[in-house]
Amino acid sequence: MKSLIRRSRSHVILVLCMLSLSGLCTGEADSGDDGAPMDKTEQAALYSAIQGFVGNLWNGSDLYPDPCGWTPIQGVSCDIFDGLWYVTSLSIGPIHENSLICAPIVEFRQDLFELKHLRSLSFFSCFISPHQHPIALPTTDWSKLAGNLESLEFRSNPGSIGQIPTCFGNLINLQSLVLLENGLTGEIPENIGHLTSLKRLVLAGNWFTGRIPDSFGRLNELLILDLNRNLLSGPLPLTIEGLTSLLKLDLSNNQLEGQLPNGIGYLKNLTLLDLRNNKFSGGLTKSLQEMYSLEEMVLSTNSIGGDLKSIEWDKLQNLVILDLSNLGLVGEIPDSFGQLKRLRFLGLSDNKLTGSLSPKLASLPCVGALYVGGNNLTGELKFSQEFYRKMGRRFGAWSNPNLCYPGGLVSTSHAPYGVKPCQQELRSHSD
């Protein structure tokens, strides 16, 4: 009886398999996307484009006969249009274990620009030899991708040289343009300001020169603007006030100069403002106090100057990091700093500040680092022992010759860095 049941089950399974195979042969089972073919022209263009970057020894048709189906290529994504598979995303470089790795000598083939459904294109650590095998970005054909391309990224490609192709300004659907840590040079094209759909513009870590284009003021949907570590010069464009959606503005480590424009106060959604290591001057514009959303303000190492009390700091209640070191600031440290309840880092080193250090700073519940070295602060520090223990070496007040701490109350292990005890000061005078 058991033998009969086993034979019956085997017969049923065999019939089901035959029906399944029959359906596949006639196309009846091909009701989902998995059975859709890939456009042959698209497939050939994909193989050729990839081969230009990874080398002629790479044979896509042998390795990945169905690149959008059962033999997918790492870094390639597809979607169906009119019943056929087309490439929508292409990523070249060692991002994942099985990623496509570039050959020493690479080639931008025309086939890349035939992938007209491409929404995302990225190259990571692909062009790495600026001396032996430099490669310039193509200056034409990018417009062929304008209909769909939303993200274009070149990251960590020091062998990528030359200027930004002006035809990048025709990629009107771009939402993200990232040219990070490459070997690109020249001025930033004015027509980048035509990309009004941009949410992210990162041009950091290159060798760009000249001014920030006035046209950037049209990018009113921009959330991130990062131009740090370049050779940009000149003043900030007044049109910067148009970037009202901006959350992050990083212009650090350039050669920018002039006064901070009053219009910067219109950037009320900004959470990070980093202008360190430039040549700004002309004092702290009062409009900075209107940037209520700021969590990080880093202005250090500029020639800004002016009175620290010219700003009502207590209006910036969201500040977590405030670095005003090496700005040439004068005046006293305002008590209003003591009202910044979220502040974790306060840097005021290497200025020309005078007066005493307010004990109200100890009331900051989150502060973990306080640096006021290199000023002309005077008097006895009047903080609690608990504050000194909490801060340790992160309370730095070196190079303030007339500043001291109460040595009888504070042990040397908890003393603020670079400050001498007051008793020692008194003894030296009596001698």
Side-chain angles (χ1 to χ4, degrees), residues 390-401:
K390 168 189 170 182
M391 300 297 290
R393 291 286 187 171
R394 296 186 303 277
F395 181 9
W398 62 90
S399 298
N400 287 280

Side-chain angles (χ1 to χ4, degrees), residues 1-284:
M1 183 66 179
K2 290 181 180 179
S3 177
L4 179 60
I5 292 174
R6 282 196 297 270
R7 285 198 299 271
S8 298
R9 287 177 177 172
S10 298
H11 180 70
V12 170
I13 292 172
L14 178 62
V15 171
L16 288 173
C17 286
M18 291 178 66
L19 289 173
S20 177
L21 288 171
S22 174
L24 287 173
C25 290
T26 59
E28 294 173 4
D30 184 17
S31 57
D33 291 347
D34 290 342
M38 185 176 186
D39 180 88
K40 296 302 179 184
T41 304
E42 180 86 352
Q43 188 179 58
L46 174 64
Y47 289 151
S48 177
I50 292 177
Q51 194 177 59
F53 299 115
V54 304
N56 291 326
L57 295 178
W58 187 86
N59 192 328
S61 58
D62 287 346
L63 295 169
Y64 306 97
D66 188 9
C68 289
W70 60 276
T71 57
I73 304 174
Q74 183 71 270
V76 176
S77 297
C78 306
D79 207 343
I80 287 181
F81 300 88
D82 298 325
L84 297 173
W85 285 109
Y86 289 87
V87 179
T88 54
S89 178
L90 177 58
S91 179
I92 308 288
I95 300 175
H96 305 291
E97 185 177 349
N98 297 319
S99 295
L100 298 164
I101 308 297
C102 281
I105 301 177
V106 298
E107 176 188 2
F108 279 90
R109 295 185 179 178
Q110 289 291 113
D111 301 280
L112 174 66
F113 303 102
E114 300 305 320
L115 305 176
K116 295 179 181 177
H117 288 281
L118 207 58
R119 289 197 291 263
S120 175
L121 176 62
S122 66
F123 298 88
F124 171 72
S125 195
C126 187
F127 323 125
I128 60 175
S129 180
H131 302 297
Q132 293 181 330
H133 305 295
I135 184 167
L137 301 183
T139 57
T140 58
D141 296 318
W142 289 100
S143 299
K144 293 182 178 180
L145 304 178
N148 292 285
L149 197 64
E150 297 175 353
S151 176
L152 178 60
E153 300 191 1
F154 290 82
R155 296 176 181 263
S156 302
N157 297 287
S160 178
I161 64 167
Q163 301 185 13
I164 299 177
T166 55
C167 55
F168 276 10
N170 298 326
L171 300 174
I172 56 173
N173 289 310
L174 272 189
Q175 297 181 27
S176 176
L177 176 59
V178 177
L179 307 177
L180 175 64
E181 295 175 349
N182 302 295
L184 300 173
T185 57
E187 297 189 0
I188 300 172
E190 185 79 22
N191 66 356
I192 296 296
H194 297 167
L195 305 178
T196 54
S197 296
L198 276 180
K199 303 289 192 300
R200 177 172 58 170
L201 178 57
V202 178
L203 307 179
N206 289 280
W207 302 95
F208 295 128
T209 57
R211 299 190 173 198
I212 298 172
D214 290 337
S215 62
F216 277 17
R218 304 174 195 161
L219 304 177
N220 52 24
E221 293 188 21
L222 204 61
L223 303 177
I224 296 173
L225 177 58
D226 187 350
L227 306 178
N228 86 82
R229 290 174 293 138
N230 282 290
L231 300 172
L232 298 171
S233 59
L236 287 184
L238 297 179
T239 55
I240 198 171
E241 66 183 34
L243 305 181
T244 53
S245 297
L246 210 60
L247 302 177
K248 173 183 176 181
L249 176 60
D250 189 347
L251 306 177
S252 62
N253 300 290
N254 280 286
Q255 300 174 10
L256 299 169
E257 58 191 12
Q259 188 171 5
L260 300 180
N262 290 329
I264 202 169
Y266 288 106
L267 310 184
K268 298 189 185 301
N269 292 310
L270 205 66
T271 60
L272 181 145
L273 174 64
D274 192 345
L275 303 178
R276 79 183 93 173
N277 296 326
N278 278 287
K279 299 179 180 180
F280 290 115
S281 58
L284 295 168

Side-chain angles (χ1 to χ4, degrees), residues 359-374:
K360 291 182 179 181
L361 293 175
S363 65
L364 295 171
C366 299
V367 71
L370 172 60
Y371 297 105
V372 294

